[in-house]
Amino acid sequence: MIRQAPLPDLLLEPMVRAALFEDLGQNGDITTRTVIPAEARYTARLNARDTGVVSGMQIARIAFHLVDPTLQVETLIADSTPCRAGDTLMTIEGSAAAILSGERVALNFAGRMTGIASLTSGFVAETKGTQTRITCTRKTTPGLRMVEKQAVIHGGGSNHRFGLSDAILIKDNHIAAAGGIEAVLSAAKAGVSHMMKVEIEVDTLDQLAQVLETGGADVVLLDNMSTPDLIRAVAMAKGRVTTEASGNMKLERIAEVAATGVDYISSGALTHSASTLDLGLDF
C-alpha cells in the first residue's frame, strides 16, 4: 500500500478548533482550572485498548497544540499503521492542565478515525488476490467528511467523490427526472469539462446495455445486483467503462463480489457503521 502524505494542518485546524470551542465553551475547562495547579507538568500516553489500524494522530496533535503550542507531542505509531491493545500511540508532555483540556477532543477524533481505518482494513483484506479496490461514499458525519475519508485512506481504501461538485454521478432519480438514460448521458457529454468523470447508476443488465450503447459514461455503478448479474455486467463492460459495485456491501460479501472482477466496491458502512476504537489517555 502506498501511503499518502498527510493533509496540510491548515485544512484540518478549523474543524479541530470548532470541536475545542464546543467542548471548552465560554468558561474553559472549569474542572481543570479549579483542581490542577497551573505549574503542574506531566507526560501523558495515548494508548490503544484494542487492535486496529491507527488514524487521527495528526488530528490529535493539532488538538493538543491548539490548546497549548508548547506541548511536546511525539507520535510513536503513525497513521496507517496497525496497532495492538496496550500500544502507546503518542506521548504528550507539558502543562497537565493543557493536556487535560485537549484530551477529549483528541480522543474523539482519533478513536472515530481509527475505527474507520480498522473497518476499512478489514474490507480491503477481503479483496486479497483480486484487482478490486474498496472505496467509501458520501455517507459521512456532517462536517467531518474530510477526516473520515482520510481515515479510509489510512485503512488502505480509496476515496470516492468528496461532494457534489467534483464529479458527475447520475443516479436513478436523475434519470427519472431528466427523461431517461439517453437524455442524461447526452446532457452530461454536452456539458461536462474534459477533466471531469461521468458515472451513472444502473440497476439491471438491460440498463447497462443501454448505457454502453449510448456512450458518454466513464464509470458504471452496478447497484444492488446479485452476484451472477455482477459477473455478467463485468463481462459486458470489460474494456469499455470502469465498474463499481454498490448497495448492501457488507464485510461478509466483499470477497464474493471482488471475485466477480469489478474494479471498485463502494460501501457507506465504512463511515456510517464503523465503531469507535477504544483509545485512552493515561497519566
Side-chain angles (χ1 to χ4, degrees):
M1 179 180 68
I2 299 175
R3 291 182 179 175
Q4 288 189 353
L7 291 169
D9 284 0
L10 66 89
L11 294 180
L12 302 172
E13 281 186 3
M15 70 177 67
V16 183
R17 190 180 296 272
L20 287 167
F21 270 115
E22 177 182 59
D23 208 28
L24 293 172
Q26 61 184 1
N27 291 319
D29 183 351
I30 296 174
T31 305
T32 294
R33 285 169 49 210
T34 303
V35 304
I36 302 297
E39 67 277 8
R41 294 181 61 82
Y42 219 93
T43 298
R45 291 170 175 79
L46 198 164
N47 293 326
R49 295 173 178 167
D50 203 350
T51 299
V53 175
V54 175
S55 184
M57 292 302 99
Q58 180 185 9
I59 297 283
R61 172 182 55 76
I62 291 170
F64 286 119
H65 278 161
L66 283 173
V67 175
D68 183 351
T70 70
L71 290 174
Q72 300 299 307
V73 179
E74 182 180 5
T75 299
L76 303 179
I77 299 183
D79 292 335
S80 302
T81 308
C83 68
R84 296 175 297 179
D87 284 348
T88 297
L89 311 182
M90 173 181 284
T91 60
I92 310 97
E93 180 181 357
S95 163
I99 295 171
L100 289 165
S101 295
E103 172 185 6
R104 179 43 51 199
V105 167
L107 289 178
N108 283 352
F109 275 110
R112 171 71 178 151
M113 292 177 67
T114 299
I116 291 171
S118 301
L119 181 59
T120 302
S121 177
F123 272 64
V124 171
E126 293 295 311
T127 68
K128 186 176 181 180
T130 74
Q131 297 300 309
T132 303
R133 299 182 68 181
I134 297 295
T135 185
C136 54
T137 70
R138 285 167 49 236
K139 295 178 181 177
T140 54
T141 307
L144 299 183
R145 181 170 296 168
M146 186 188 304
V147 295
E148 291 184 348
K149 281 183 172 284
Q150 187 181 39
V152 169
I153 295 291
H154 291 158
S158 302
N159 283 168
H160 209 281
R161 61 177 180 164
F162 269 75
L164 297 174
S165 65
D166 58 317
I168 290 181
L169 174 47
I170 302 166
K171 305 199 79 175
D172 52 359
N173 287 339
H174 296 106
I175 294 170
I181 287 174
E182 184 175 354
V184 291
L185 286 177
S186 296
K189 285 190 292 183
V192 72
S193 160
H194 70 289
M195 296 294 289
M196 188 170 288
K197 293 288 185 74
V198 176
E199 181 172 14
I200 186 168
E201 175 185 286
V202 299
D203 303 315
T204 67
L205 295 175
D206 286 343
Q207 287 180 325
L208 174 59
Q210 188 177 356
V211 167
L212 295 174
E213 181 180 354
T214 302
D218 301 293
V219 186
V220 174
L221 189 156
L222 308 168
D223 189 44
N224 280 301
M225 286 191 177
S226 66
T227 300
D229 278 355
L230 284 173
I231 293 171
R232 293 178 62 190
V234 169
M236 290 169 63
K238 189 173 180 63
R240 302 177 69 180
V241 292
T242 299
T243 54
E244 174 191 336
S246 189
N248 197 34
M249 292 297 161
K250 297 180 180 179
L251 181 62
E252 55 268 23
R253 194 183 172 213
I254 297 304
E256 177 183 304
V257 174
T260 68
V262 294
D263 298 303
Y264 290 89
I265 297 173
S266 59
S267 176
L270 300 179
T271 49
H272 71 56
S273 295
S275 298
T276 296
L277 198 85
D278 191 8
L279 306 177
L281 194 71
D282 299 319
F283 270 51

